[in-house]
Amino acid sequence: MNLAIAEAEALIIRALENSGVTRPNATSVAHALVAAEIDGQSGHGFSRVAAYAAQARSGKVDGTATPHAEQTAAALVTVDARNGFAYPAINAAISALAALAPQTGVAGALIRRSHHCGQLGLHVERLAGQGLVALMVGNAPSAMAPWGGSKPLFGTNPIAFAAPRLDGLPLVVDLSLSKTARGKVMAAAKAGKPIPEGWALDAEGRPTTDPQAALAGTMLPAGEAKGAMLALVVEVLCATLTGANHSYEATSFFDAAGAPPGVGQTIIVFDPRCAVKGAFVHRLESLLSEMTSQEGVRLPGARRAEMRVAAQRDGLAVPAHLYAEITRLIEAGADESTAP
């Protein structure tokens, strides 16, 4: 099924509202999921809708929650997501940071009692669009063992960075500390497709291409021991520091069982205008030019602009199994509303 961007967002909003999510929260979630699809991050897109809806219905995520943001120090904001979706809490953090950073030069936001935060690059790109340099980390339910271990302890614990450029879209670096995002494994499982070798181990520690076995096992870290150590750094910054659940304490993002995941996110921003007095974007362009002067080098996220233009022009192709899954949620809500 091919849908225009607005149609795709409206479809997700209806599915979530039928699961007890308020219109503002459903709109925030839908915008983030569709933006991930546009940018080619399908593991954070349509494939998440059914799990989000099931969790809202069970109370694992509070679809009616309004996040509470509080400035707790001169350059620090804490945000309690109140066990709701991450996106409204991240919106609150971004608004606070965009106002605070020009005054303080550097500012941070600590988010607790949060949920799956999707495509981190989307969030830091918004800050870079306001002239700020931004770094964001988030933890997730345990899926990756510490190096040398065999039991999942850390999440895939993504990192994203964005910086404004002289012209065009900001520079965005967005990566998972596992060899691939776990959402891609979940998307493969839904589609009934194998995953590449080297992504994951099964529950017995054997390499696997079966996405279901991978979800029951462990993800492999990017960069082996170095990636596992970076996952520890992320864990400290967004869970130990924020008061959120550590990855091993968090319940799954993929099902409706158990208590809220209660994970955390941390965002740190710099106003480069307070540092190098207007020279930042020119210095960045010089650095990026040196990179791309080498044959075969592409800047991270270089295809974003093309994909966004294509989505505006052609719409988004929703896989048949996911379109059916989402429409069933809408039909179930309609059936309930007409029941005697």
Side-chain angles (χ1 to χ4, degrees):
M1 177 63 66
N2 203 72
L3 299 176
I5 292 172
E7 291 175 326
E9 290 189 357
L11 187 75
I12 294 173
I13 289 168
R14 288 175 63 197
L16 293 174
E17 283 188 309
N18 282 344
S19 300
V21 181
T22 62
R23 172 58 69 96
N25 286 347
T27 300
S28 177
V29 172
H31 177 74
L33 298 191
V34 171
E37 285 287 347
I38 291 170
D39 285 353
Q41 299 294 325
S42 59
H44 299 307
F46 299 128
S47 63
R48 295 280 177 169
V49 177
Y52 281 8
Q55 290 174 42
R57 286 175 176 268
S58 73
K60 186 173 183 176
V61 62
D62 184 352
T64 69
T66 299
H68 175 70
E70 179 182 4
Q71 187 173 342
T72 52
L76 182 66
V77 174
T78 60
V79 182
D80 182 355
R82 292 176 167 170
N83 291 322
F85 288 106
Y87 308 110
I90 292 167
N91 290 342
I94 288 173
S95 295
L97 291 172
L100 192 57
Q103 304 173 38
T104 58
V106 60
L110 306 177
I111 304 172
R112 66 184 185 277
R113 292 208 295 170
S114 192
H115 195 261
H116 174 248
C117 60
Q119 181 191 8
L120 266 68
L122 171 70
H123 312 311
V124 290
E125 183 178 355
R126 290 170 56 195
L127 288 158
Q130 299 183 63
L132 302 171
V133 176
L135 177 70
M136 180 176 180
V137 294
N139 75 327
S142 58
M144 192 164 64
W147 191 248
S150 59
K151 181 181 178 182
L153 180 69
F154 303 131
T156 54
N157 291 13
I159 298 175
F161 169 85
R165 295 190 61 185
L166 190 59
D167 296 301
L169 292 175
L171 171 70
V172 177
V173 178
D174 184 353
L175 53 91
S176 166
L177 290 177
S178 56
K179 285 193 176 180
T180 192
R182 201 160 185 245
K184 290 185 178 180
V185 179
M186 185 266 285
K190 280 181 172 286
K193 296 179 179 179
I195 59 172
E197 291 183 7
W199 278 14
L201 306 177
D202 66 16
E204 283 71 47
R206 299 171 301 203
T208 184
T209 59
D210 180 347
Q212 296 290 359
L215 291 172
T218 59
M219 303 295 294
L220 288 168
E224 300 184 335
K226 294 177 182 179
M229 291 304 99
L230 282 174
L232 171 60
V233 172
V234 170
E235 195 75 26
V236 172
L237 286 175
C238 61
T240 315
L241 182 63
T242 67
N245 281 341
H246 290 105
S247 293
Y248 69 88
E249 299 170 311
T251 56
S252 175
F253 289 155
F254 294 150
D255 61 46
V263 294
Q265 294 95 32
T266 291
I267 308 173
I268 302 169
V269 298
F270 301 85
D271 189 335
R273 293 159 291 200
C274 300
V276 287
K277 305 299 181 185
F280 174 81
V281 289
H282 298 284
R283 289 173 56 79
L284 179 60
E285 292 307 316
S286 176
L287 170 62
L288 299 181
S289 293
E290 286 295 318
M291 287 178 61
T292 55
S293 68
Q294 297 187 30
E295 186 176 351
V297 173
R298 292 181 58 182
L299 296 180
R303 293 183 58 236
R304 290 197 325 278
E306 297 171 13
M307 296 174 76
R308 291 174 185 181
V309 169
Q312 288 286 351
R313 182 187 65 235
D314 304 327
L316 289 167
V318 185
H321 66 285
L322 295 179
Y323 183 78
E325 193 172 64
I326 296 168
T327 53
R328 278 197 297 271
L329 293 168
I330 296 170
E331 290 163 359
D335 290 344
E336 288 177 10
S337 67
T338 58

